Amino acid sequence: MTGRPGRTGRGVGQAGAGDLLALVRTGRATTRGALQQATGLSRATVGQRLDRLFRAGWLREGAGGPVGSPLGGRPSITLEFDDAHAVVLSADLDTRHARAAVLSLNGEILAEHSGTLVVEDGPDAVLDELGRWFGELLEKAGHRADEVCGVGLAAPGPVDSGTGRVVQPPIMPGWDGHDLRGRLARAVTERTGAPPVPVLIDNDANLMAYGEQRTAHPDCSAFVLVKVSTGIGAGVVVDGTIYRGVDGGAGDIGHIRVGTEALCRCGSYGCLAAVASGGAVARKLAAAGIPAASGSDVRDLLAAGHPKAAALAREAGRQVGDVLATVVTLLNPGVLMIAGDLAGTPFVTGVRELLYQRALPRSTARLEVVTSRLGERAGLVGAGALVVEHLYAPERVEERLLALGV
C-alpha cells in the first residue's frame, strides 16, 4: 500500500511532493484545497509541489468536483494519478510453468503470456527466457522499452526481501543465494532494450495474497492466502502490508510437521507438503496407476471430475485444514483464501471440515473462507502492485523527482 500521508514523521506544513501524491493516489485529498487542509501547507507551496508532479507526468487534472460553497461558484478541479505514464513488467514462476505480463500502473494487464519454464533449469536460463518474453509482450502491448519503470517477480520459495535472494528454497535447486535482481535486470535490458530499472522479488504466496487483498478485500486488516500447488505456502497481509518475518520465512506452512514419515523435498520427514500438496496428491494418483506428475495434472483431473483425484484432494484438504486451525487461532484473520492447483470444491470442503472442527469458535466467528478471485493472475497483479507501491512511496518520490530534474 502507499505510505500514510500525515504519518510520515514530518509535522504539519512539512509534507513533501511524495506525501501530496500519496494523498491523491489514496483518494484522501483530490483537490488543491483538500491538500492544503490535509497538510497545512500554503496554497503557493501546494502549487509548487504539484507543479513538480505535473512536470514528471505523474498527475493530471480530472473533471471538476462538486461546488464546495452554498453560494455557488466554479467547481474544484480534481487531481488524479496518471497511471498511463509508465508500465510495469511482472512474472510469476511455478516449478514447471510461468506467467509474464505487462501491466499498467493501476494493475490492468495489457499483455500476457504463459508457458513451460522449468525452475530446475537454473536461474540463468529461466530469467533469460523471461527477458525474452518481456520483449515480445512490450511489442504486443504497444509500449516502448523506455516506458518500463520496474519489474516484479513472484518466486516459489522463501525470499529475503532486503536482498531479493531466495533462501534455501526446497523446490528451486540451484537458486539459493543467487543474485536474482541483478540477473533479471540484465536479462530485461538485454532482451528489451529497457534502461536499468528496479527489480523487486518476493515469495509467490506473499504476492498472490497482496494482489488478492488489494483487489477483492481492501478493507480486511488481517488476510491469509494459502497456495496449494506443487508445494504449500501461505501469504499474510496485515494492515495492507505483507508480513514476511525477519528474513522472508513467514508463511512457509508446507514444512510444518504433521506426524507422518513421508520424505519431503526439503530433506525432512513428515512435512505437510509431503502428504497434502499437489505434488503429493499426484504421487498418490500415480501409485494407483493414474497418470499424474504435478499439481497441474491433479488440477486437470479434478476439473474432469475424476473420483479418485477428488477423494485424495478432499483428504489433503483435511490435513491442511488441521494445520490452518492453528494459523487461524494465531492470526485471527478476517479472510482465509484457498488458491493454487488444488483450490476446488473437494479440497476446500476438506479444509472446512477440519478447520471448523479444530479451531476455537471465537477464531472462526467472523472468518470468511473463500477461493481466489484473480485465479492464475494473482501473482502477476501482486508483483506489479509491489513495484508500484515501492516506486511511488512518499519517501522515494523525492529521489525520483530529483533524478528526473524536476
Side-chain angles (χ1 to χ4, degrees):
M1 299 289 283
T2 53
R4 297 188 179 188
R7 299 182 184 180
T8 59
R10 290 188 282 268
V12 173
Q14 297 181 8
D19 298 304
L20 268 60
L21 182 64
L23 284 165
V24 173
R25 288 190 63 220
T26 58
R28 293 181 59 196
T30 57
T31 66
R32 289 169 173 81
L35 289 170
Q36 287 178 242
Q37 185 176 13
T39 63
L41 297 174
S42 68
R43 179 177 180 180
T45 302
V46 167
Q48 290 169 357
R49 292 178 182 172
L50 289 179
D51 181 60
R52 299 178 69 200
L53 296 171
F54 278 114
R55 282 189 285 144
W58 298 353
L59 277 188
R60 64 188 175 206
E61 290 187 342
V67 175
S69 169
L71 300 177
R74 291 187 301 175
S76 300
I77 299 297
T78 59
L79 303 170
E80 300 174 350
F81 178 62
D82 189 341
D83 57 24
H85 71 268
V87 294
V88 173
L89 303 179
S90 175
D92 184 7
L93 291 179
D94 209 331
T95 53
R96 305 187 64 82
H97 185 269
R99 305 180 77 86
V102 178
L103 287 81
S104 71
L105 297 181
N106 68 1
E108 178 187 359
I109 292 180
L110 306 176
E112 181 180 9
H113 175 75
S114 64
T116 300
L117 207 54
V118 182
V119 295
E120 289 186 356
D121 290 342
D124 288 326
V126 169
L127 298 181
D128 187 64
E129 182 67 1
L130 280 181
R132 187 181 71 80
W133 287 8
F134 284 142
E136 295 176 351
L137 286 168
L138 280 170
E139 184 175 352
K140 181 179 178 181
H143 282 274
R144 304 185 312 273
D146 62 6
E147 294 179 90
V148 175
C149 65
V151 183
L153 174 66
V159 177
D160 183 335
S161 62
T163 65
R165 298 173 187 259
V166 291
V167 182
Q168 299 177 0
I171 58 176
M172 300 177 73
W175 291 68
D176 184 27
H178 197 89
D179 179 19
L180 301 186
R181 284 179 181 169
R183 184 64 186 88
L184 184 54
R186 290 196 303 275
V188 169
T189 297
E190 292 167 1
R191 292 291 194 165
T192 71
V197 295
V199 175
L200 274 68
I201 300 171
D202 210 326
N203 171 260
D204 55 355
N206 283 349
L207 293 179
M208 290 173 69
Y210 195 49
E212 293 278 9
Q213 188 270 337
R214 290 170 58 86
T215 301
H217 303 275
D219 298 325
C220 180
S221 61
F223 179 94
V224 176
L225 177 143
V226 178
K227 178 186 179 183
V228 187
S229 291
T230 299
I232 301 175
V236 180
V237 179
V238 178
D239 290 335
T241 301
I242 298 171
Y243 178 75
R244 300 181 175 89
V246 295
D247 62 2
D252 202 4
I253 65 171
H255 300 286
I256 292 175
R257 289 290 302 272
V258 293
T260 75
E261 293 304 316
L263 177 62
C264 182
R265 293 183 66 174
C266 73
S268 296
Y269 289 88
C271 293
L272 179 64
V275 295
S277 65
V281 173
R283 288 190 293 274
K284 293 174 185 178
L285 287 168
I290 301 164
S294 66
S296 59
D297 292 333
V298 178
R299 179 191 60 206
D300 293 341
L301 289 168
L302 290 171
H306 194 287
K308 182 65 173 179
L312 289 173
R314 182 166 180 169
E315 178 56 30
R318 289 171 58 84
Q319 292 167 312
V320 173
D322 197 9
V323 170
L324 289 180
T326 300
V327 172
V328 165
T329 301
L330 177 65
L331 297 177
N332 189 210
V335 175
L336 172 62
M337 178 173 284
I338 310 299
D341 291 331
L342 265 61
T345 299
F347 184 86
V348 175
T349 298
V351 168
R352 288 176 177 273
E353 286 175 355
L354 262 289
L355 172 62
Y356 287 105
Q357 177 182 326
R358 298 292 172 84
L360 292 172
R362 172 70 181 82
S363 301
T364 58
R366 298 172 59 187
L367 176 68
E368 294 182 64
V369 180
V370 301
T371 53
S372 173
R373 180 76 63 88
L374 295 174
E376 295 182 338
R377 291 178 163 178
L380 294 177
V381 172
L386 188 73
V387 171
V388 172
E389 298 305 337
H390 170 81
L391 291 175
Y392 297 94
E395 65 273 15
R396 199 156 289 104
V397 163
E398 186 65 31
E399 300 172 13
R400 297 184 63 212
L401 290 174
L402 289 172
L404 290 171
V406 299

